[in-house]
């Protein structure tokens, strides 16, 4: 039973949820306390020394105390802070204001009323005045803070009780900020940390639980009605991914994170629940912003496939740099329209031009280059879905391979400084048409660069390729599909219990693309460190748990079998013996077979003819002839594999 009746509870809550006390009310209240301190000090002296009580002197004393208190409070701004946010700085401000009052009182008494009090009496009186006023001002603030916290803890039933993971000083400060925010739906109930020795103590007013085993968390959660854990950094999430995170998922405890303090709105911390990106993310990627800025500064930049997942994120990141002009090229009208509206709203000063066009059209690509003469080209246009391309192989070749040839040729013709192609880990020892088409694109771009270097082709463009795995949340990828299946009540479909993939967030991938464009000198295929591979079935389970359901109880997981051309696992991209280091530890240069440009041009002419004629068999045969390591998996095109 609660210790207060319902009316008192409602009254306390109404006070607690008041944003802040009016500053003039605080000033008036402080003045009353200060005058009380002066009055009390005078009467204590009167009782001790039994001197004659003089009303004129007492009145003068109160007037000087009143005026000096006002000056002190205004000068040191003691009334401007929100009382429940009081800090050590607030205490020093109050002390300074009271000291200022005492100095003025001493001067006033010495100049105009020295015959009423002896020097010892004056000194003792001023000391008493300072001690009484300062103590009461601090005590009142402490009482208000404790009353507020007591009310929030005991009478606010709708707030989610959360433990902060870790006990660093920044995190202990965060607990006060969160608890003093009346609009926050969360309340910090303490701190949690894992160490060898189990112990519980307090930090400020909050319990700090130091435990040794994850099982010891059960009693803490049950006894304190803990409903969530707050991770304040991606590093903490990653370090506890296989312990505390799994515990929370299995026990339906919510997990939260918080943006860096420089991203808070009005200095108010806003929590958000963890999503699958947080659980699959990695430690912060470090790049060289000075080099990226230098590379993009006042340049005309072209992004093909601008309306896609990678292309649109590239555009957002490029738009934040001081580019002269940003050219957006895509064949998707709706996607381009949405991107245009977004850039107009978020980057009102950006000079950008949205162009509807298809990389398969040499004429359209030539028009874009001849009109805008881009300095830097980021080529992200591609078809990417493996099963779909397996039944549409000619279109995969036309877009991913011939389309790349069209864009690269025009970049050279119109003297772009650099051309950066976005490739995929599926191009490594491809087992499907999509991966093979991207490998063909890599081959063409690299051979064209070496043709320029050797003088076979004239031009100055540096051609380079970036290669990485799956990006989280991209259009049509596994995560949006799982989300949709979970929202519909399941089942969640996974092709195989053993299938694994590498994942990277779109922002991470695009940031590394921009970094790679500053590192590359031309001719490189730069592979990104994708971290550890993830089992897709484990990904599905975590997404179900994050949604508040139990796998194979509330939401079923079904296995559908590998699709045509699909691998169980993608090739490792960053093995040291197959790559060379770069200035960025997350980017390495792959050692790959080099092709003669003139031979590749002839082969591409044939591919263009076959794919444009929709001659599927000849298209696949020619592709496998160019890429002998292309061995089809679970596909009808296995019959064209070159026998070794």
């Amino acid at each position: 039973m609660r210790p207060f009746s319902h009316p008192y509870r409602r009254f306390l809550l109404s006070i607690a949820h008041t944003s802040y006390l009016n500053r003039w009310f605080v000033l008036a209240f402080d003045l009353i306390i200060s005058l009380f301190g002066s009055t009390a000090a005078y009467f204590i002296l009167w009782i001790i020394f039994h001197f004659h009580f003089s009303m004129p002197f007492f009145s003068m004393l109160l007037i000087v105390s009143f005026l000096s208190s006002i000056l002190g409070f205004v000068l040191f701004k003691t009334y401007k802070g929100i009382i429940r946010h009081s800090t050590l700085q607030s205490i020093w401000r109050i002390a300074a204001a009271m000291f200022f009052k005492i100095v003025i009182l001493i001067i006033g008494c010495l100049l105009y009323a020295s015959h009423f009090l002896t020097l010892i009496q004056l000194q003792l009186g001023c000391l008493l005045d300072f001690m009484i006023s300062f103590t009461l001002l601090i005590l009142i603030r402490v009482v208000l803070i404790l009353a507020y916290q007591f009310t929030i803890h005991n009478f606010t039933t709708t707030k989610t009780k959360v433990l902060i993971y870790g006990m660093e000083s920044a995190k202990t400060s965060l607990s006060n900020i969160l608890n003093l925010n009346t609009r926050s739906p969360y309340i910090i109930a303490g701190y949690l940390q894992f160490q060898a020795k189990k112990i519980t103590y307090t930090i400020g007013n909050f319990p700090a639980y130091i435990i040794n085993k994850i099982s010891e968390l059960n009693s803490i959660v049950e006894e304190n009605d803990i409903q969530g854990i707050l991770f304040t950094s991606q590093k903490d999430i990653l370090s506890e991914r296989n312990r505390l995170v799994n515990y929370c998922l299995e026990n339906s405890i919510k997990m939260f994170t918080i943006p860096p303090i420089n991203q808070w709105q009005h200095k108010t911390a806003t929590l958000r629940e963890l999503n699958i990106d947080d659980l699959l993310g990695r430690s912060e990627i470090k790049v060289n912003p000075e080099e990226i800025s230098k590379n993009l500064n006042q340049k005309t930049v072209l992004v093909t496939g601008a309306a896609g997942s990678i292309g649109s994120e590239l555009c957002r990141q490029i738009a934040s740099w001081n580019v002269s002009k940003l050219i957006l090229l895509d064949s998707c009208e709706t996607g381009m329209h949405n991107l245009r509206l977004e850039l107009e709203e978020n980057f009102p000063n950006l000079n950008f031009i949205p162009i509807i066009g298809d990389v398969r059209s040499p004429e359209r690509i030539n028009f874009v280059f001849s009109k805008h003469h881009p300095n830097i080209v980021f080529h992200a246009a591609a078809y990417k879905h493996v099963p779909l391309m397996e039944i549409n192989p000619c279109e995969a070749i036309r877009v991913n391979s011939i389309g790349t040839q069209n864009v690269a040729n025009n970049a050279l013709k119109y003297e772009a400084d650099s051309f950066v192609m976005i490739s995929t880990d599926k191009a490594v020892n491809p087992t499907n048409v999509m991966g093979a088409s991207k490998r063909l694109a890599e081959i063409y771009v690299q051979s064209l660069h070496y043709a320029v270097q050797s003088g076979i082709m004239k031009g100055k463009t540096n051609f380079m390729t970036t290669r990485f795995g799956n990006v989280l949340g991209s259009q049509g990828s596994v995560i949006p599909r799982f989300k949709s299946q979970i929202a519909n009540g399941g089942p969640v479909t996974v092709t195989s219990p053993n299938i694994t993939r590498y994942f990277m967030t779109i922002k991470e991938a695009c940031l590394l693309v921009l970094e790679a464009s500053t590192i590359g000198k031309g001719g490189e295929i730069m592979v990104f460190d994708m971290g550890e591979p993830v089992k897709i079935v484990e990904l599905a389970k975590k997404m179900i748990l994050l949604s508040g359901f139990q796998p194979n109880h509330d939401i079923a997981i079904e296995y559908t079998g590998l699709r045509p051309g699909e691998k169980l696992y993608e090739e490792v991209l960053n093995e040291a013996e197959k790559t060379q280091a770069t200035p960025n530890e997350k980017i390495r240069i792959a050692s790959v077979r080099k092709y003669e440009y003139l031979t590749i041009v002839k082969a591409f002419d044939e591919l263009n003819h076959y794919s444009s004629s929709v001659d599927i068999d000849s298209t696949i045969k020619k592709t496998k002839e160019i890429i002998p390591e292309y061995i089809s998996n679970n596909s009808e095109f296995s019959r064209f594999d070159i026998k070794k």
Side-chain angles (χ1 to χ4, degrees):
M1 182 179 292
R2 296 195 181 278
F4 294 96
S5 61
H6 183 70
Y8 288 110
R9 179 169 176 253
R10 189 162 46 190
F11 172 72
L12 288 170
L13 283 173
S14 66
I15 294 176
H17 288 288
T18 302
S19 295
Y20 54 85
L21 295 175
N22 186 283
R23 62 179 58 180
W24 303 120
F25 175 82
V26 173
L27 178 60
F29 191 78
D30 286 351
L31 280 171
I32 292 172
I33 296 295
S34 181
L35 288 174
F36 175 81
S38 298
T39 303
Y42 181 80
F43 278 100
I44 290 173
L45 287 178
W46 182 64
I47 292 170
I48 294 173
F49 293 102
H50 302 288
F51 52 73
H52 175 69
F53 178 82
S54 171
M55 182 56 70
F57 173 74
F58 180 66
S59 300
M60 183 275 295
L61 181 72
L62 292 183
I63 292 172
V64 174
S65 176
F66 177 79
L67 294 175
S68 60
S69 295
I70 288 181
L71 287 173
F73 290 141
V74 171
L75 183 63
F76 294 100
K77 300 179 174 62
T78 60
Y79 61 96
K80 287 193 174 182
I82 298 174
I83 289 181
R84 62 173 176 267
H85 290 184
S86 296
T87 62
L88 286 175
Q89 187 181 37
S90 304
I91 295 175
W92 284 112
R93 287 180 183 275
I94 293 171
M98 290 298 93
F99 183 76
F100 178 83
K101 179 187 86 167
I102 296 304
V103 170
I104 299 299
L105 274 175
I106 291 174
I107 294 172
C109 289
L110 289 175
L111 290 177
Y112 302 106
S114 59
H115 58 284
F116 285 101
L117 295 174
T118 67
L119 184 60
I120 293 177
Q121 291 172 343
L122 179 60
Q123 291 173 342
L124 180 59
C126 288
L127 179 62
L128 286 170
D129 190 342
F130 179 87
M131 291 176 62
I132 294 170
S133 301
F134 177 74
T135 302
L136 287 176
L137 288 170
I138 297 301
L139 185 61
I140 290 296
R141 281 162 168 78
V142 170
V143 169
L144 286 174
I145 292 171
L146 292 177
Y148 173 82
Q149 292 182 344
F150 175 81
T151 303
I152 292 298
H153 275 276
N154 291 277
F155 299 110
T156 305
T157 58
T158 57
K159 288 182 179 278
T160 301
K161 288 188 175 180
V162 176
L163 291 178
I164 294 180
Y165 175 78
M167 299 179 188
E168 294 87 344
S169 59
K171 297 177 183 179
T172 57
S173 300
L174 177 63
S175 62
N176 289 314
I177 294 171
L178 287 168
N179 280 356
L180 294 173
N181 179 11
T182 58
R183 294 182 177 86
S184 171
Y186 313 103
I187 186 166
I188 301 304
Y191 308 95
L192 175 67
Q193 191 162 300
F194 290 93
Q195 285 184 8
K197 186 178 180 181
K198 180 180 177 181
I199 188 173
T200 300
Y201 59 93
T202 59
I203 299 177
N205 297 318
F206 304 99
Y209 304 101
I210 298 178
I211 61 177
N212 177 255
K213 300 176 182 177
I214 192 69
S215 57
E216 296 168 352
L217 187 55
N218 290 327
S219 59
I220 297 172
V221 169
E222 291 174 5
E223 292 171 9
N224 298 278
D225 191 28
I226 300 300
Q227 299 158 287
I229 302 292
L230 171 60
F231 295 95
T232 59
S233 70
Q234 181 68 15
K235 181 181 178 181
D236 289 341
I237 298 171
L238 297 180
S239 67
E240 287 296 327
R241 185 158 47 186
N242 297 320
R243 182 172 53 180
L244 184 54
V245 168
N246 282 344
Y247 174 88
C248 292
L249 289 173
E250 293 165 2
N251 292 277
S252 300
I253 295 174
K254 294 181 179 180
M255 292 177 288
F256 303 94
T257 188
I258 197 164
I261 191 169
N262 59 359
Q263 296 178 18
W264 295 1
Q265 296 296 321
H266 309 296
K267 294 302 176 187
T268 299
T270 303
L271 306 191
R272 68 167 177 82
E273 290 194 41
L274 292 194
N275 55 39
I276 197 64
D277 291 24
D278 298 307
L279 301 189
L280 295 181
R282 300 175 300 160
S283 56
E284 181 184 3
I285 288 179
K286 296 179 180 178
V287 297
N288 189 331
E290 291 80 13
E291 288 300 317
I292 294 176
S293 175
K294 181 180 177 181
N295 189 44
L296 296 176
N297 187 48
Q298 289 300 307
K299 300 290 179 62
T300 297
V301 181
L302 166 65
V303 178
T304 70
S309 303
I310 295 293
S312 60
E313 179 59 27
L314 270 175
C315 290
R316 294 182 194 100
Q317 293 193 16
I318 292 169
S320 65
W321 300 95
N322 186 32
V323 295
S324 173
K325 184 164 56 176
L326 178 59
I327 312 299
L328 320 176
L329 176 68
D330 205 294
S331 60
C332 178
E333 180 202 17
T334 300
M336 182 66 80
H337 173 70
N338 293 336
L339 179 61
R340 176 181 184 174
L341 294 178
E342 179 186 341
L343 293 179
E344 285 177 343
E345 180 177 353
N346 296 333
F347 302 95
N349 298 321
L350 176 67
N351 179 17
F352 74 95
I353 302 171
I355 298 175
I356 299 297
D358 197 320
V359 295
R360 287 170 291 193
S361 169
E363 295 79 15
R364 186 60 170 162
I365 300 303
N366 182 75
F367 168 80
V368 172
F369 275 86
S370 64
K371 183 174 179 62
H372 298 289
H373 291 272
N375 305 111
I376 303 172
V377 179
F378 292 98
H379 178 51
Y383 283 153
K384 65 177 184 177
H385 296 292
V386 170
L388 198 57
M389 292 305 98
E390 207 67 17
I391 57 177
N392 295 278
C394 291
E395 289 308 300
I397 296 298
R398 290 185 67 211
V399 170
N400 294 354
S401 308
I402 307 303
T404 298
Q405 181 187 34
N406 289 337
V407 179
N409 286 349
N410 278 279
L412 183 65
K413 177 180 177 181
Y414 290 98
E415 298 186 326
D417 296 323
S418 61
F419 174 99
V420 183
M421 177 191 147
I422 312 298
S423 189
T424 169
D425 56 358
K426 293 174 178 62
V428 183
N429 297 325
T431 61
N432 50 66
V433 172
M434 196 284 282
S437 67
K438 294 297 285 185
R439 178 65 189 127
L440 285 171
E442 290 181 355
I443 290 169
Y444 186 85
V445 168
Q446 190 175 44
S447 66
L448 180 57
H449 177 80
Y450 289 124
V452 173
Q453 237 183 14
S454 63
I456 296 174
M457 297 291 292
K458 292 183 180 180
K460 66 169 190 174
T461 308
N462 287 323
F463 292 91
M464 62 198 82
T465 296
T466 59
R467 186 195 281 172
F468 48 89
N470 299 277
V471 289
L472 295 169
S474 61
Q475 296 173 11
S477 67
V478 65
I479 289 177
R481 181 163 59 87
F482 282 174
K483 285 181 179 177
S484 175
Q485 290 175 333
I486 292 168
N488 292 326
V492 172
T493 56
V494 179
T495 56
S496 167
N498 298 315
I499 193 168
T500 64
R501 289 292 181 266
Y502 290 96
F503 286 98
M504 174 180 280
T505 68
I506 295 176
K507 288 186 177 180
E508 286 176 333
C510 292
L511 198 60
L512 285 177
V513 168
L514 294 180
E515 175 84 341
S517 70
T518 70
I519 293 173
K521 304 303 180 184
E524 303 97 341
I525 293 180
M526 288 176 278
V527 296
F528 295 169
D529 176 5
M530 298 294 296
E532 296 298 319
V534 177
K535 291 190 75 170
I536 299 301
V537 66
E538 294 302 320
L539 171 65
K541 289 178 181 178
K542 285 184 176 178
M543 290 188 65
I544 293 170
L545 289 167
L546 280 172
S547 301
F549 302 108
Q550 290 297 318
N552 293 318
H553 183 267
D554 303 313
I555 303 288
I557 296 176
E558 293 184 358
Y559 300 105
T560 59
L562 289 176
R563 297 170 295 182
E566 193 169 41
K567 291 180 179 181
L568 268 179
Y569 58 90
E570 301 296 352
E571 303 291 333
V572 177
L573 299 180
N574 58 351
E575 291 183 356
E577 66 270 18
K578 294 182 180 179
T579 60
Q580 302 169 14
T582 72
N584 190 306
E585 62 179 7
K586 300 292 185 182
I587 304 174
R588 299 185 70 88
I589 299 172
S591 300
V592 296
R593 172 187 170 189
K594 295 181 180 179
Y595 288 76
E596 292 294 331
Y597 175 71
L598 296 178
T599 303
I600 291 305
V601 168
K602 183 178 178 182
F604 263 60
D605 287 342
E606 293 181 57
L607 278 173
N608 192 16
H609 171 72
Y610 294 144
S611 59
S612 298
S613 306
V614 199
D615 184 345
I616 294 176
D617 288 359
S618 296
T619 299
I620 297 298
K621 286 179 182 178
K622 190 63 184 178
T623 300
K624 288 179 179 288
E625 179 186 319
I626 302 170
I627 314 170
E629 67 271 23
Y630 168 28
I631 306 297
S632 296
N633 185 39
N634 191 31
S635 170
E636 63 172 305
F637 302 131
S638 296
R639 67 184 189 275
F640 299 124
D641 289 345
I642 296 176
K643 306 300 179 183
K644 295 184 180 180

